[in-house]
Amino acid sequence: MILLAGKVAIARTRYSKVKNAQEGVFYLPTKVKSYKLEVMDWSTKRKLTYLSILLLVILVVAAYFLYPLFIENPTCSDGKQNGDEVGVDCGGICNNFCASQVRPLSIIWQRSFEVAPGIYDVLGYVENQNADAGVSSLLYRFKLYDDKNVLIAERDGKTFIGPNQSGAIFSGGINTGERIPKLVYLEFEDYQWTKIDPRFLKINFSVKNQQLLNASTSPRLAVSVGNESLTDLRNVEAAAILRDQDDNAIAVSNTVIESLPKQSSKDIFFTWLTPLELPVARIEIIPRVNPFTVSY
């Protein structure tokens, strides 16, 4: 093999077998073939190296822009458990909590209260033990049964649940005709726990100047409800529960404060059509506002 001027010359020789009686077997060259192979010079190698680098850069840039078109990023609404989600579209960075991360809503008691012949108010006293979770839309149903466990009335409604608080779900003016409710059941449809804006935890109410008048004739309760926070509030619900000396609820009512500016208070009133049957030992006022509609 001979290297000349960037080329390799390879000679290949063929041999023929010859037999001789005196000298035995020996081989004689019969034909020689030569081949020439091109050898890449340094300049060509450098050009190919630059071209390879350029192609690699183009592939990396193309992959960067084309990757999102073929690979979907995890979201909290894709129906899959991906990313840092604890379950399907819940937990992690998602606003919704998974059922395993929260405690269910507790119903402490539910009762009916006669306000006129055949007309009843009902109230469910509930408790949310989750400090940073609430329900923006809670569908509920009150069912009223007589002493024979026969369903005599139903009432559907929608409300909300704030974080780490007790609340009153009120529904008024349910007509039962001539039948008297003995049992009340409060049911919820499936609901979703959602993260609460941390700023909501700074909202605080005050209740002052409770005054109950005309308890034996036409009861009227006056209360001052204050917004102690630095956020203007709208549609504040306020429930009133009158309790006897055994702390049993004997009357309930509900009202809505349309506007309650920051660092202000308003007087609200609750009335009943019939006299109270027992003396009132304690008055409980429960103001609450939907945490998902507050503008900060």
Side-chain angles (χ1 to χ4, degrees):
M1 180 177 69
I2 304 173
L3 177 63
L4 292 173
K7 296 183 179 180
V8 177
I10 300 176
R12 182 179 179 184
T13 305
R14 291 186 178 181
Y15 295 86
S16 297
K17 185 177 180 181
V18 179
K19 293 183 179 180
N20 186 292
Q22 297 180 351
E23 299 181 6
V25 178
F26 61 94
Y27 295 87
L28 293 176
T30 60
K31 187 176 182 180
V32 176
K33 281 189 175 182
S34 61
Y35 305 89
K36 292 183 178 181
L37 300 178
E38 296 289 337
V39 177
M40 188 182 301
D41 59 20
W42 181 85
S43 176
T44 303
K45 286 184 179 180
R46 184 177 60 181
K47 292 178 181 179
L48 288 178
T49 301
Y50 290 160
L51 181 60
S52 299
I53 294 173
L54 178 60
L55 291 175
L56 180 61
V57 171
I58 292 174
L59 288 175
V60 170
V61 173
Y64 176 82
F65 287 101
L66 293 177
Y67 179 84
L69 299 179
F70 297 97
I71 304 298
E72 295 183 0
N73 292 325
T75 69
C76 293
S77 58
D78 56 13
K80 303 174 184 179
Q81 181 178 350
N82 44 31
D84 66 345
E85 295 174 353
V86 177
V88 177
D89 295 338
C90 62
I93 63 172
C94 298
N95 284 330
N96 291 338
F97 285 101
C98 299
S100 61
Q101 296 178 291
V102 291
R103 295 182 178 182
L105 188 62
S106 299
I107 301 175
I108 308 303
W109 54 265
Q110 56 242 294
R111 280 192 55 195
S112 62
F113 303 85
E114 186 177 24
V115 294
I119 305 296
Y120 291 82
D121 292 342
V122 292
L123 186 140
Y125 196 92
V126 300
E127 184 178 54
N128 175 16
Q129 299 179 6
N130 301 292
D132 56 352
V135 181
S136 62
S137 180
L138 178 66
L139 300 178
Y140 65 85
R141 173 173 295 169
F142 281 108
K143 292 184 175 181
L144 285 66
Y145 294 83
D146 64 12
D147 57 353
K148 296 180 181 180
N149 205 31
V150 176
L151 179 66
I152 59 177
E154 289 182 315
R155 174 68 62 82
D156 294 342
K158 182 173 71 172
T159 188
F160 60 88
I161 299 296
N164 196 33
Q165 61 182 217
S166 298
I169 299 177
F170 176 89
S171 187
I174 299 177
N175 191 334
T176 62
E178 297 181 355
R179 304 167 77 174
I180 300 174
K182 293 295 183 180
L183 295 173
V184 175
Y185 290 101
L186 175 59
E187 300 175 348
F188 302 126
E189 292 191 10
D190 291 339
Y191 55 89
Q192 176 65 60
W193 291 106
T194 305
K195 292 179 181 178
I196 297 294
D197 190 316
R199 292 173 293 182
F200 182 79
L201 303 179
K202 297 180 180 180
I203 292 177
N204 187 36
F205 294 103
S206 63
V207 177
K208 301 177 181 178
N209 306 323
Q210 301 177 9
Q211 188 175 13
L212 179 62
L213 304 173
N214 307 322
S216 59
T217 54
S218 299
R220 183 174 184 269
L221 173 63
V223 179
S224 177
V225 174
N227 174 10
E228 303 299 325
S229 72
L230 298 177
T231 302
D232 295 334
L233 302 176
R234 297 187 60 81
N235 299 320
V236 177
E237 295 187 11
I241 303 175
L242 307 184
R243 298 178 180 271
D244 63 15
Q245 62 182 1
D246 296 322
D247 212 37
N248 295 317
I250 58 176
V252 297
S253 188
N254 191 78
T255 190
V256 176
I257 307 172
E258 293 185 358
S259 176
L260 191 58
K262 58 186 177 182
Q263 299 289 298
S264 70
S265 62
K266 283 191 176 181
D267 293 334
I268 59 175
F269 303 92
F270 304 91
T271 59
W272 291 266
L273 299 176
T274 57
L276 300 176
E277 296 181 356
L278 297 172
V280 175
R282 184 167 75 91
I283 299 173
E284 182 178 6
I285 306 297
I286 306 176
R288 64 193 193 112
V289 68
N290 191 335
F292 302 97
T293 60
V294 175
S295 298
Y296 300 98

